[in-house]
Amino acid sequence: LCHMQTKDYQAAQVAFGEFYKKHSHLSKRSRRDLMRSHEALLLFAVGQVMLGDYPESIEFLLEELPYLRKESKEAAARATVLLLHSMIRANELEKALALIKEQFADLDEVTQLISLQSMALEVGSKFLEQGDYYQAIACLQRIWQRDRLLRHQRDRLADLEEKLEILKRRRGMEDFAFQYEGMIRRVELELEAFEKVVDYDAALRLRLAKAFVGMQRYWEAALVLEDMLVNMPAGPIVEQASLSWIQSWMQCRRWGKAVEAADIYLEKFSNSDQDDRVPMVLMLKADAYRELHEKGRAREVYGEVVERFPTGSIAPRALFMQGILYLEEDRNEEAVAVFEDVRKRFASHPMVE
């Protein structure tokens, strides 16, 4: 432990390795010997991780994990968290996903549940970046939302503290009490860090929706984003997701839903500092009205784009679409006037042609 504190991880590994070999091969091990051998094993793996020896860490933990699961599910769960971290750093994503599926089937003994789920989010994000949308969805759909995680871990902490008090009142249970104190510290540290994370749910839902969009499953993407926009407070990630929500309904040809989504966006983010998003949302809303054959409303919203954002990149198209709507209603003189206006106001824009 002193070597770990001085960051001499190689020396620490030698010491932990010698301790583990000595105690793991005893014919009769006390509970205390068992606990200490598990701790030495885990700290040996931590040393590998700190040294960046991720392939060696993966090989070592995969070899030891079956024995740990027989002897201590709590120690095995800690080893799983270390193993998953090593797999991510080594970019062994397929192995990481297999491990996530295996461990998520049994979360009862995982004290570092927030770490496990946060790393699962990282794995899902990496699959998403690589364009492997199916694997991204398989990973991201397993992850709990923030409130559920916090509630679960707070309940876990209360249960551990209650059991620790019972152990402290019994003679000869010092080793168990020490183990529970360590578990409590790990849960407390995770909770303290995680409570400061604000956009966890938004980041999770946005990534899941992007994966659905990548597979052209726009309906599922829209439903994921709808839940996000309605139930989460406004913020940069929610704003970005809201635009994707409208676009997903447009892809599904659910024009009425697209108009509703646009109205919700404009109500929440009308003062957005993202100057390009509000006119884009207005354009989508106008396009949806046009598809619904509500030409008057469509023309009105196109006009709002031109009026509010006259120098914006979308303004020429918005004005042009007003002329198109007049043409569709056989109001040719008014259409000609609008097209002349486009030519005068945006002479250098490709839309003039």
Side-chain angles (χ1 to χ4, degrees):
L1 289 172
C2 291
H3 286 310
M4 291 289 283
Q5 290 296 321
T6 59
K7 298 184 180 180
D8 190 348
Y9 302 118
Q10 288 182 330
Q13 279 191 293
V14 172
F16 287 133
E18 290 176 353
F19 184 94
Y20 180 66
K21 287 178 182 178
K22 178 179 178 181
H23 288 79
S24 63
H25 293 94
L26 294 175
S27 56
K28 292 184 179 180
R29 285 190 292 175
S30 66
R31 176 66 185 178
R32 185 176 188 179
D33 288 332
L34 195 63
M35 288 168 53
R36 287 185 171 182
S37 66
H38 293 160
E39 200 67 26
L41 183 152
L42 291 167
L43 289 170
F44 180 86
V46 168
Q48 289 177 315
V49 169
M50 297 306 294
L51 289 167
D53 294 336
Y54 302 119
E56 291 82 355
S57 173
I58 292 169
E59 183 180 356
F60 174 70
L61 288 168
L62 284 174
E63 183 179 340
E64 298 295 336
L65 200 52
Y67 303 104
L68 281 177
R69 285 173 174 159
K70 292 177 182 178
E71 296 175 347
S72 171
K73 287 189 175 182
E74 194 275 332
R78 289 171 61 194
T80 299
V81 171
L82 276 172
L83 178 57
L84 183 56
H85 173 79
S86 297
M87 288 175 171
I88 294 171
R89 298 284 80 80
N91 204 35
E92 296 280 1
L93 299 184
E94 296 289 346
K95 292 180 180 179
L97 179 56
L99 184 64
I100 288 167
K101 290 179 179 179
E102 183 180 6
Q103 188 61 59
F104 268 60
D106 182 17
L107 296 176
D108 290 342
E109 300 297 329
V110 182
T111 51
Q112 294 172 283
L113 186 60
I114 291 172
S115 293
L116 181 71
Q117 301 230 3
S118 297
M119 282 190 280
L121 176 57
E122 186 176 354
V123 172
S125 300
K126 287 182 177 293
F127 275 124
L128 183 61
E129 290 169 6
Q130 294 179 4
D132 194 340
Y133 305 118
Y134 181 82
Q135 298 291 52
I137 291 169
C139 188
L140 295 170
Q141 281 189 318
R142 287 174 161 79
I143 301 171
W144 296 1
Q145 292 193 25
R146 183 175 183 271
D147 285 347
R148 183 183 178 188
L149 264 175
L150 287 173
R151 186 169 59 252
H152 183 278
Q153 288 303 84
R154 286 167 182 158
D155 290 345
R156 169 66 61 83
L157 183 60
D159 180 61
L160 291 172
E161 289 173 337
E162 183 180 339
K163 289 178 178 177
L164 176 61
E165 289 304 312
I166 295 172
L167 290 171
K168 284 181 176 180
R169 292 196 293 268
R170 295 181 179 176
R171 296 180 61 183
M173 303 298 287
E174 291 81 4
D175 289 332
F176 284 99
F178 179 79
Q179 182 184 32
Y180 271 80
E181 286 171 350
M183 293 163 66
I184 287 169
R185 279 196 302 274
R186 287 189 288 275
V187 175
E188 286 176 336
L189 288 171
E190 281 201 337
L191 279 170
E192 183 181 351
F194 193 60
E195 284 168 348
K196 297 175 184 176
V197 178
V198 178
D199 290 328
Y200 179 85
D201 284 347
L204 169 61
R205 307 300 282 179
L206 180 58
R207 284 164 173 75
L208 183 58
K210 283 182 176 180
F212 279 126
V213 168
M215 294 188 70
Q216 298 185 354
R217 292 165 60 178
Y218 299 109
W219 186 273
E220 290 97 326
L223 293 177
V224 168
L225 293 167
E226 181 173 29
D227 175 72
M228 179 177 175
L229 182 58
V230 171
N231 295 314
M232 294 182 191
I237 296 179
V238 174
E239 181 180 356
Q240 180 185 350
S242 303
L243 179 58
S244 299
W245 180 36
I246 303 165
Q247 292 168 331
S248 294
W249 282 131
M250 296 289 284
Q251 289 288 343
C252 294
R253 304 180 68 82
R254 294 296 300 272
W255 314 120
K257 285 283 191 181
V259 170
E260 291 175 13
D263 285 337
I264 292 173
Y265 178 98
L266 294 168
E267 182 181 349
K268 277 196 171 189
F269 305 108
S270 58
N271 297 318
S272 170
D273 58 359
Q274 299 291 331
D275 295 336
D276 58 331
R277 287 183 183 166
V278 171
M280 188 180 299
V281 169
L282 287 169
M283 284 296 292
L284 291 171
K285 180 181 178 181
D287 290 344
Y289 271 136
R290 184 182 176 220
E291 295 290 347
L292 288 167
H293 304 290
E294 296 188 31
K295 300 185 187 300
R297 288 185 173 180
R299 189 163 46 245
E300 185 179 308
V301 180
Y302 286 132
E304 185 180 348
V305 174
V306 177
E307 183 178 343
R308 289 180 59 185
F309 308 95
T311 61
S313 61
I314 298 180
R317 179 177 176 270
L319 186 58
F320 178 79
M321 289 307 300
Q322 285 184 297
I324 292 295
L325 288 171
Y326 281 127
L327 277 181
E328 290 176 349
E329 295 177 305
D330 292 326
R331 297 165 63 176
N332 298 322
E333 291 183 3
E334 290 161 294
V336 169
V338 170
F339 293 143
E340 287 289 347
D341 198 17
V342 172
R343 190 168 62 177
K344 290 176 184 177
R345 294 175 62 174
F346 308 105
S348 60
H349 196 276
M351 190 65 68
V352 171
E353 293 184 13

